[in-house]
């Protein structure tokens, strides 16, 4: 009988020479990379480049847009286009692209060359203001959620001067990428960036207004973001042998390996050399693109890692986060590695998340910094309360902003924040708020040496509000909030958009109240005190400092009336509620139509994701796993038959035959059911289809997996057609 290539020997192939072992990376004698100061930003058309290349007036005009958020002076585009083109061509770029973020969660680009024929057989490099400012990609193949009929294919990209253009290069050439917003012909946002920019503007406006209550006059307030990224790196030899990893980004099969993460030996361990070489190169590429990545370490699961940048303004940070994911995927292949950004590539070991660290700052500093002086404390408590109030009122929106099929595997499993949104504040701050609640004002802080409340009545706070708590989905971590429930593969734009918008709303409403009280003759401090005392009572149910992974919390949260939206399908309807639509509309972030289109796209994405998984699982079961089991069965039957011929008793063989035959029955039955469910889509409407996925396909897939994983434990290793967890997780 012919046998397939024994896949377990892939493990040996997997440690084949990597670039490092070929004399690149960390191999002795490998060429040293440039010093970091020279490398950082070398592929970015940054402020220094602009200052050097632009006429003074144009540079100054552009700076008022970039730094102060003032409207763009249309007259300067020509000068910028020429400078950008010259710079890009010096860097070896032959093409440019408007780089945008459609609602697929990925980035998109269409390349145009700089070439313009001169009519005499030669060509010159050309790039003008209109090409910089506006692009017109055919929008019909991007998700629009009904915002655009296919016959209205027009879509526009618009230059975002506040995020710097950059060059993407490789051995085969280089091109200029210009960050842009993407909208339909009717002006509706079809992308992640446009609403993010609108929400940044809304927060800026409201926060600057509120600062005036404290006699602070800021030029600009901007949200700041730093996203920690978790990911897996596995040998690509393994990854490409698994149709599930190729199609779905996660394994749909795989028995629990003898060794998982129980040894706790991977977390913060020394980074394996091949991985370190790969990460070094990822970082070098990101430095060249001006992305300030700074920390890296092993994560909890075997083959899992994390990296994080230094925070930046939210818009740049969101662009840079997309570049980080792209770069990780791209560079991994140079090391024969596959980077898995899925939330749950492997069952039974930890999944991957993304922590969105978020705050907002004016040119005078971080507005969520507790600070030392009573005056600043008052201001801090005002803004911090605005965040708590916003989270309490819009738990549902925050939950929706992280809802997608991949993240459903994490939220609520005991390794990631639960699907209940709550805030960890730490003992100190919680105590302050309790005092305000009980006495209308706080007069002391728990730690000795720390003085009373801000506006003469609010307390001075410790710089770090106490302990860390890893189980909270939304934690105050000293001078920022950390939204920890994001999925590893998702764009940070929408969660950041939601945060900016709902906090802008709370700041607006709180500011209005104080302004009105003061206009009616009330003392500012008195008005603040009344406001906070009342608000604390309303938002305190969102504060939870205990163990978010415990069952008791689920019960307690229910008693407190907090939402527990377990799956994406439970969460998504909340996106379009009257309350949420009103908030988005009021602050000019998303119109009702834009919001509804997003809802439709999110439902559709959920449907497609699971539909693909269901089809892939059925294919693999029928074309890989069942045949392997059958081969084994046939060998066993042959052995039994021969034994009978020569009169040898083979009880063990017969018992094995029975066991395997039984498992084959189970797998056959489960697979038939899955195939049947796959054929039926549950209805014609996208929400019916999505609901069919949740209610029928997911359980059907789970049954197939149980049977297949049992078979993996008994079918001979050399017959098993797909790489196992045992190999994938530990060959580094
Ligand atoms: P930890 O793993 O303890 O959460 P890290 O240092 O890995 O901490 O990540 C913290 C992240 O928070 C970094 O990206 C950091 O730049 C970011 N950060 C720090 N201050 C702010 C801030 N004011 N606004 C937004 N992000 C911030
Ligand atoms: Mg963190």
């Amino acid at each position: 009988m012919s046998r397939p290539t024994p896949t377990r020997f892939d493990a040996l192939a997997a440690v084949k020479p990597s670039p490092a072992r070929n004399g690149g990376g960390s191999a002795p004698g490998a060429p040293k990379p440039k010093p970091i100061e020279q490398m950082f930003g070398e592929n970015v058309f940054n402020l220094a480049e602009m200052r050097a290349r632009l006429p003074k007036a144009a540079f100054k005009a552009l700076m008022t847009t970039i730094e102060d958020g003032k409207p763009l002076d249309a007259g300067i585009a020509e000068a910028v286009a020429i400078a950008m083109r010259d710079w890009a061509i010096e860097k070896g770029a032959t093409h440019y692209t408007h780089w945008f973020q459609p609602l697929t969660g990925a980035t998109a680009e269409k390349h145009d060359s700089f070439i313009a024929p001169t009519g005499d057989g030669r060509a010159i490099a050309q790039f003008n203001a209109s090409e910089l400012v506006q692009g017109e990609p055919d929008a019909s193949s991007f998700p629009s959620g009904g915002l655009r009929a296919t016959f209205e294919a027009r879509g526009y990209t618009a230059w975002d001067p506040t995020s710097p253009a950059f060059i993407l290069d490789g051995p085969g050439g280089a091109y200029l990428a210009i960050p842009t917003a993407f909208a339909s012909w009717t002006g509706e946002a079809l992308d992640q960036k446009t609403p993010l920019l609108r929400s940044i503007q809304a927060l800026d406006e409201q926060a600057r207004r509120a600062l005036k209550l404290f006699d602070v006059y800021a030029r600009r307030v901007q949200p700041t973001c730093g996203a920690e990224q978790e990911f897996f790196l596995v040998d690509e030899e393994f990854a490409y042998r698994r149709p599930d990893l190729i199609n779905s980004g996660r394994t749909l099969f795989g028995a629990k390996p003898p060794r998982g993460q129980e040894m706790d030996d991977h977390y913060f361990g020394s980074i394996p050399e091949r991985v370190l070489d790969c990460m070094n190169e990822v970082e070098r590429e990101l430095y060249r693109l001006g992305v300030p990545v700074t920390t890296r370490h092993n994560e909890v699961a075997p083959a899992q890692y994390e990296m994080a940048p230094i925070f930046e303004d939210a818009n740049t940070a969101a662009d840079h986060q997309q570049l980080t994911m792209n770069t990780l995927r791209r560079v991994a292949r140079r090391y024969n590695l596959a980077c898995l950004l899925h939330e749950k590539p492997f069952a039974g070991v930890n999944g991957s998340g993304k922590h969105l660290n978020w705050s907002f700052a004016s040119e005078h500093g971080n507005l969520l910094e507790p600070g030392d002086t009573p005056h600043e404390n008052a201001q801090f408590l005002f803004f911090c309360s605005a965040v708590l109030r916003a989270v309490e009122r819009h738990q549902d929106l925050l939950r929706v902003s992280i809802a997608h099929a991949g993240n459903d595997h994490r939220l609520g499993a005991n390794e990631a924040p639960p699907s209940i949104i709550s805030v960890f504040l730490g003992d100190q701050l919680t105590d302050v708020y309790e005092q305000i609640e009980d006495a209308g004002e706080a007069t002391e802080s728990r730690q000795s040496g720390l003085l009373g409340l801000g506006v003469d009545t609010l307390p001075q706070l410790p710089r770090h509000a106490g302990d860390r708590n890893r189980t909270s989905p939304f934690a105050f971590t000293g001078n920022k909030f950390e939204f920890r429930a994001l999925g590893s593969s998702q764009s940070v734009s929408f969660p950041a958009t939601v945060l900016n918008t709902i906090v802008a709303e709370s700041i607006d409403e709180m500011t209005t109240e104080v302004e009105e009280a003061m206009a009616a003759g009330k003392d500012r401090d008195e008005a603040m005190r009344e406001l906070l005392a009342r608000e604390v009572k309303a938002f305190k149910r969102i504060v939870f400092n205990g163990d978010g992974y415990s069952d008791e919390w689920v019960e307690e949260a229910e008693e407190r009336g907090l939402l527990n939206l377990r799956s994406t399908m439970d969460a998504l309807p909340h996106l379009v509620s009257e309350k949420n639509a009103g908030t988005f509309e009021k602050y000019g972030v998303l119109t009702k139509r834009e919001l509804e289109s997003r809802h439709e796209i999110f439902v559709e994405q959920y449907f497609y994701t699971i539909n693909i998984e269901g089809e892939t699982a059925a294919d693999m079961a029928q074309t890989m796993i069942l045949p392997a089991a059958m081969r084994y069965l046939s060998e066993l039957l042959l052995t039994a038959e021969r034994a009978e011929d020569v009169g040898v008793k083979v009880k063990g063989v017969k018992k094995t035959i029975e066991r395997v035959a039984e498992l084959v029955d189970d797998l056959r039955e489960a697979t038939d059911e899955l195939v049947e469910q796959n054929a039926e889509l549950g209805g014609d409407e996208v929400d019916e289809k999505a609901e069919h996925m949740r209610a029928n396909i997911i359980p059907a897939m789970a049954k197939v997996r149980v049977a297949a994983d049992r078979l993996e434990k008994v079918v001979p290793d050399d017959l098993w057609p797909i790489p196992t967890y045992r190999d994938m997780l530990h060959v580094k």
Side-chain angles (χ1 to χ4, degrees):
M1 181 184 311
S2 78
R3 296 206 151 165
T5 320
T7 49
R8 64 161 301 180
F9 298 127
D10 287 357
L12 299 177
V15 286
K16 66 188 160 298
S18 77
R21 291 182 178 86
N22 281 335
S26 62
K32 290 254 174 308
K34 278 189 203 172
I36 185 167
E37 296 91 346
Q38 279 176 36
M39 195 165 30
F40 193 85
E42 70 175 2
N43 272 2
V44 185
F45 193 59
N46 52 25
L47 294 185
E49 243 1 288
M50 291 186 213
R51 187 181 296 116
R53 289 172 182 268
L54 285 173
K56 252 206 177 97
F59 178 72
K60 252 180 105 180
L62 188 58
M63 287 302 287
T64 63
T65 297
I66 295 174
E67 296 210 315
D68 303 341
K70 295 280 180 309
L72 182 68
D73 173 354
I76 64 167
E78 194 62 47
V80 177
I82 291 167
M84 205 187 267
R85 178 201 65 193
D86 291 349
W87 171 80
I89 287 170
E90 278 167 35
K91 291 270 171 197
T94 54
H95 291 66
Y96 69 92
T97 182
H98 275 199
W99 187 78
F100 60 103
Q101 294 160 39
L103 293 165
T104 54
T107 54
E109 37 192 81
K110 175 190 158 219
H111 296 197
D112 284 293
S113 92
F114 286 121
I115 284 296
T118 48
D120 58 357
R122 294 175 310 138
I124 51 160
Q126 192 182 297
F127 181 63
N128 58 32
S130 66
E131 287 161 329
L132 165 67
V133 170
Q134 183 176 345
E136 203 199 311
D138 183 336
S140 58
S141 296
F142 293 106
S144 80
L147 275 185
R148 201 213 55 248
T150 326
F151 62 89
E152 301 167 336
R154 257 180 227 279
Y156 293 114
T157 48
W159 173 39
D160 170 14
T162 59
S163 183
F166 53 90
I167 283 180
L168 288 170
D169 59 5
Y175 61 96
L176 169 71
I178 303 160
T180 53
F182 178 48
S184 73
W185 188 68
T186 43
E188 274 135 343
L190 291 175
D191 68 342
Q192 309 267 15
K193 188 190 269 285
T194 309
L196 176 62
L197 289 172
R198 292 170 180 164
S199 73
I200 290 170
Q201 204 166 300
L203 183 62
D204 173 44
E205 198 174 305
Q206 298 307 333
R208 274 190 295 117
R209 209 183 118 217
L211 277 172
K212 290 186 193 145
L213 295 175
F214 301 94
D215 302 315
V216 176
Y217 298 86
R219 278 197 349 250
R220 186 159 194 210
V221 173
Q222 275 198 307
T224 50
C225 290
E228 301 160 51
Q229 174 76 54
E230 293 180 344
F231 54 95
F232 282 80
L233 288 171
V234 299
D235 195 278
E236 67 175 354
E237 177 94 17
F238 296 145
Y240 288 125
R241 280 178 185 270
R242 299 214 38 147
D244 47 6
L245 281 181
I246 295 173
N247 282 320
S248 312
R250 74 177 182 103
T251 57
L252 302 169
F253 300 100
K256 186 180 173 320
R259 174 178 176 173
Q261 66 190 38
E262 50 283 282
M263 304 283 284
D264 280 336
D265 55 352
H266 185 68
Y267 190 54
F268 278 31
S270 72
I271 303 176
E273 185 173 293
R274 174 158 62 142
V275 171
L276 186 60
D277 284 344
C278 173
M279 281 202 194
N280 274 324
E281 191 163 333
V282 168
E283 288 176 6
R284 281 199 299 276
E285 295 269 309
L286 289 172
Y287 288 152
R288 297 175 73 222
L289 292 166
V291 182
V293 281
T294 169
T295 65
R296 59 186 182 206
H297 61 78
N298 288 2
E299 257 303 324
V300 172
Q304 192 186 28
Y305 308 91
E306 178 181 309
M307 62 196 292
I310 296 168
F311 69 94
E312 301 176 277
D313 73 87
N315 180 37
T316 311
D319 283 356
H320 282 172
Q321 223 290 306
Q322 292 298 130
L323 278 179
T324 302
M325 292 195 285
N326 290 354
T327 306
L328 272 167
R329 282 209 186 91
R330 207 157 39 86
V331 174
R333 297 195 59 174
R334 298 182 197 156
Y335 291 83
N336 311 120
L337 293 165
C339 176
L340 308 179
L341 290 171
H342 194 281
E343 285 72 22
K344 194 74 180 177
F346 302 100
V349 297
N350 273 18
S352 300
K354 187 168 329 204
H355 293 177
L356 179 61
N357 293 275
W358 176 91
S359 184
F360 47 109
S362 75
E363 68 273 19
H364 307 301
N366 182 355
L367 297 178
L368 291 175
E369 171 66 54
D372 308 319
T373 64
H375 177 260
E376 276 170 356
N377 282 340
Q379 185 188 302
F380 163 76
L381 276 183
F382 179 88
F383 286 118
C384 182
S385 302
V387 177
L388 296 173
R389 181 184 185 275
V391 175
E392 195 272 330
R393 292 185 176 213
H394 296 292
Q395 304 154 47
D396 54 351
L397 260 188
L398 287 167
R399 175 67 185 87
V400 172
S401 77
I402 50 164
H404 48 105
N407 220 11
D408 279 359
H409 298 283
R410 291 175 65 240
L411 302 178
N414 278 355
E415 55 164 86
S419 9
I420 307 162
I421 300 291
S422 66
V423 183
F424 170 82
L425 267 188
D427 292 343
Q428 210 89 46
L429 266 187
T430 305
D431 180 52
V432 167
Y433 278 117
E434 275 167 4
Q435 291 178 53
I436 296 174
E437 190 202 347
D438 292 345
E441 62 184 285
T443 47
E444 57 172 20
S445 259
R446 229 175 227 184
Q447 267 169 30
S448 57
L450 295 171
L451 289 173
L453 277 176
V455 221
D456 289 336
T457 54
L458 308 174
Q460 187 174 336
L461 300 166
R463 263 175 192 283
H464 293 287
D467 215 5
R468 283 168 177 261
N469 174 317
R470 288 287 172 194
T471 64
S472 175
F474 199 89
F476 185 70
T477 49
N479 59 1
K480 62 187 188 292
F481 283 93
E482 186 172 339
F483 189 12
R484 298 203 182 109
L486 277 71
S488 50
S489 69
Q490 81 175 98
S491 157
V492 300
S493 293
F494 193 52
T497 301
V498 168
L499 270 171
N500 299 340
T501 309
I502 64 179
V503 172
E505 177 192 68
S506 270
I507 293 174
D508 176 17
E509 289 170 6
M510 288 165 64
T511 304
T512 303
E513 183 175 326
V514 176
E515 280 171 355
E516 281 172 4
M518 285 166 70
K522 198 169 267 174
D523 170 58
R524 181 195 68 179
D525 294 358
E526 182 65 25
M528 288 270 184
R529 195 162 53 216
E530 275 177 22
L531 168 76
L532 285 196
R534 197 195 61 236
E535 289 299 337
V536 170
K537 285 192 173 59
F539 68 58
K540 69 170 183 185
R541 65 175 181 146
I542 201 77
V543 175
F544 176 64
N545 293 326
D547 179 2
Y549 294 177
S550 69
D551 295 334
E552 293 82 66
W553 169 231
V554 177
E555 273 169 42
E556 188 182 331
E558 197 178 323
E559 275 161 31
R560 293 189 189 188
L562 298 180
L563 289 170
N564 185 2
L565 303 168
R566 285 168 197 277
S567 88
T568 297
M569 291 301 285
D570 298 329
L572 289 183
H574 291 262
L575 180 60
V576 285
S577 72
E578 211 167 297
K579 163 184 84 88
N580 293 333
T583 299
F584 278 124
E585 197 138 39
K586 176 159 184 208
Y587 295 93
V589 174
L590 287 167
T591 63
K592 188 101 199 288
R593 233 163 89 80
E594 286 172 328
L595 195 63
E596 277 166 358
S597 81
R598 270 155 185 77
H599 175 257
E600 191 175 322
I601 290 167
F602 293 160
V603 174
E604 190 178 79
Q605 278 163 350
Y606 179 86
F607 158 64
Y608 282 127
T609 303
I610 296 174
N611 184 228
I612 290 168
E613 289 182 355
E615 302 271 358
T616 306
D619 279 2
M620 287 176 73
Q622 300 199 95
T623 64
M624 299 176 96
I625 299 172
L626 267 173
M630 244 91 92
R631 279 192 191 119
Y632 181 34
L633 202 55
S634 141
E635 275 187 16
L636 288 168
L637 288 166
L638 217 63
T639 309
E641 199 181 297
R642 281 187 196 148
E644 207 138 297
D645 287 349
V646 294
V648 178
K649 281 214 173 76
V650 281
K651 239 171 72 192
V653 175
K654 287 185 180 149
K655 222 168 155 181
T656 312
I657 290 174
E658 271 164 33
R659 178 155 324 150
V660 176
E662 211 172 283
L663 290 175
V664 168
D665 283 348
D666 291 350
L667 181 59
R668 181 73 263 175
E669 202 177 306
T671 305
D672 285 345
E673 192 185 323
L674 177 60
V675 170
E676 208 172 290
Q677 295 289 359
N678 277 341
E680 193 195 308
L681 285 178
D684 295 330
E685 297 299 321
V686 66
D687 26 352
E688 293 169 341
K689 293 184 199 170
E691 182 51 30
H692 175 63
M693 296 298 122
R694 189 193 66 80
N696 302 316
I697 300 293
I698 290 177
M701 273 199 292
K703 272 196 210 152
V704 174
R705 178 171 188 152
V706 168
D709 289 358
R710 285 206 185 118
L711 274 167
E712 187 191 315
K713 289 288 198 190
V714 299
V715 170
D717 195 56
D718 60 344
L719 286 179
W720 195 251
I722 47 179
T724 61
Y725 278 26
R726 196 181 48 200
D727 293 331
M728 283 189 288
L729 288 171
H730 297 290
V731 175
K732 291 168 190 166

